[in-house]
Every structure is written in structure tokens, then in C-alpha cells.
Amino acid sequence: MKFIRLCCCLLSTALLAACTYHSKLPRGIFAAPAAEQRIAATVLLASDKIAQKQFVFKDYHSQNSVHSYKIGLTDGALTAAAEALATVFETVEVNPSKHAANYDYRAELNYTVTGTKTDNLESVQWFGGQPPMLETRVLISVYDVKTGKLLFSMFASRQNRLEMSDASAVTQRLENKGKTVFLPVTGPVYTQNFGDDLRYTLARDLSQCLTEIAQTLAQNRALFEPIAQNNVK
């Protein structure tokens, strides 16, 4: 009998410890209309110049369980940044920077998400209370391929509190009340819903930053038109 109880305890512990969420930023984050007349130039967005490849979040709000979240940033962020650049340039492709000689411009994306209280890219931690504030920073730099000269940099940032859904809030309250008998069920449900909330928050803030950057790029398109005119000749 004691052995059976021990096995049940070990099983419950394993279930609680296994609350891990894995996902990635979706494509289609950025959806702004292209300029009526785009610049006839080619841009390589460097796929090998990534500051932060994934967002890691550790949730210690409950004494009964710990939740871990890992969201890949690379693919979704590069795709969204390329779409933002394509609002002004006719051709934007994501490729390693070693292929830059085949393009007019090389662009680099520096995108990071941290807690507002730390610049640590390794992990954001939450120990209960209000959901943490996340700081999103996006910098896109554009270089002339022939000269290697930096032509223009565009920066945008957002500070927003992590947005929790009703489903996350309800299952979180159950955990905080110590309802350990329900944790094998509520733990995974909470992890899935809160992970989706994280993913939504990251995508929303990145989209807002890229919208601002696309507007800045459109306002300064004259910086890039001389090369486009030379290409036409």
C-alpha cells in the first residue's frame, strides 16, 4: 500500500514538473499595405545576424508547480521584418549574409524581448503578482552592399504587460489555492493557455514595432532611390 502511494506521489510530481510549453512566433505577424510605387532595388535580410533566437519564460507563481515556456523567434521575426521592408522595396529575401553580393542592400534585424527589470536574454522570470512587463526592442539597419556603409537605422520599442486570457487567470487561481488534486489537469491546461498568451503578446508587440519602422522607412525612402535609378539605367 505504501508502495502504491509512493508511486502515485512520484507520478503527480512528474506531471507537475512536465509543464513545459514549446512554440514559435507565427508567420503573418506584419500585414501593412505596400507603397503604391516601391523602389526597384533588392534587399537581403541577413538570417545569420540574430540577437535572440528564442524567448524563455519561467513561471514560479505557484508553490505547487513550475511552468516553463520556450518560444522560437527567428523564423516569425525574420519573415515579419522582410514583409515590413517589402512595403518600400520591390525585392526582399531572407538569406545568409554571405550572399549579400547579389543584392543592392543588406539589412540586419536586431530584435530582443526582455523583462523591463533586466536585459537578460536567457530567461524572464515571474514569481506571482501582476504579470510582468515585457520590453520589445526592434532595430533594422540597412547597408549599401557595394560600399559596406550603413545608410539608415530604424528603431522602435514597446513596453507592455503580458496579456493574460480568462482561461489562464482561472486555472492560475486554482493552482494558487493549492488544489493539488486538480494539478495534473489544471497544470497542463494553464501552461497551454498561458503559453498562447505569451505568443500572442510577443507577436502583437513585434507587429506594432514593425508598423512604426515601416512608416519611418517610407518617410525616408529618398535615401535609397539613387541606387534604384542607377539600376534602371
Side-chain angles (χ1 to χ4, degrees):
M1 193 69 175
K2 290 183 178 179
F3 177 75
I4 294 176
R5 290 178 180 174
L6 177 61
C7 289
C8 290
C9 289
L10 290 174
L11 179 60
S12 296
T13 301
L15 286 171
L16 297 181
C19 291
T20 302
Y21 178 94
H22 291 276
S23 188
K24 61 181 181 179
L25 278 181
R27 293 192 172 195
I29 292 173
F30 182 82
E36 292 184 4
Q37 186 173 2
R38 292 184 292 171
I39 297 174
T42 58
V43 181
L44 176 143
L45 178 59
S47 60
D48 53 342
K49 303 287 185 179
I50 301 298
Q52 185 177 2
K53 294 183 178 181
Q54 68 176 358
F55 176 75
V56 179
F57 188 89
K58 296 291 182 66
D59 179 354
Y60 300 96
H61 77 267
S62 171
Q63 295 180 352
N64 299 310
S65 61
V66 177
H67 306 271
S68 178
Y69 306 84
K70 294 182 179 180
I71 300 176
L73 304 178
T74 302
D75 182 61
L78 285 171
T79 300
E83 291 172 346
L85 290 167
T87 60
V88 170
F89 296 104
E90 277 190 359
T91 303
V92 182
E93 297 176 348
V94 178
N95 275 312
S97 53
K98 65 182 181 181
H99 299 300
N102 301 320
Y103 298 82
D104 298 313
Y105 302 109
R106 184 185 86 254
E108 294 182 4
L109 168 68
N110 189 317
Y111 164 51
T112 61
V113 184
T114 65
T116 55
K117 296 181 180 180
T118 176
D119 289 330
N120 183 12
L121 300 181
E122 298 299 320
S123 177
V124 176
Q125 298 181 347
W126 181 32
F127 296 92
Q130 282 192 313
M133 293 285 289
L134 299 182
E135 182 166 16
T136 297
R137 301 186 188 96
V138 182
L139 173 69
I140 296 182
S141 302
V142 182
Y143 298 83
D144 185 321
V145 168
K146 290 182 179 179
T147 65
K149 180 181 177 182
L150 173 63
L151 296 177
F152 195 58
S153 289
M154 299 155 285
F155 176 77
S157 65
R158 290 292 185 277
Q159 288 188 5
N160 287 312
R161 196 169 296 282
L162 195 155
E163 187 170 332
M164 288 183 66
S165 63
D166 291 340
S168 295
V170 169
T171 47
Q172 182 203 58
R173 284 197 294 271
L174 285 174
E175 287 198 5
N176 289 342
K177 289 181 180 179
K179 304 295 185 181
T180 54
V181 67
F182 300 118
L183 283 177
V185 176
T186 60
V189 171
Y190 169 75
T191 301
Q192 181 63 44
N193 282 284
F194 189 76
D196 291 344
D197 295 343
L198 271 172
R199 188 170 177 260
Y200 168 80
T201 301
L202 296 179
R204 179 201 62 195
D205 291 357
L206 175 59
S207 176
Q208 291 177 359
C209 288
L210 288 174
T211 297
E212 182 178 329
I213 283 175
Q215 292 170 350
T216 301
L217 179 62
Q219 293 166 1
N220 292 273
R221 59 178 289 152
L223 292 171
F224 307 97
E225 287 176 337
I227 285 184
Q229 292 170 359
N230 290 335
N231 289 341
V232 172
K233 295 178 182 179

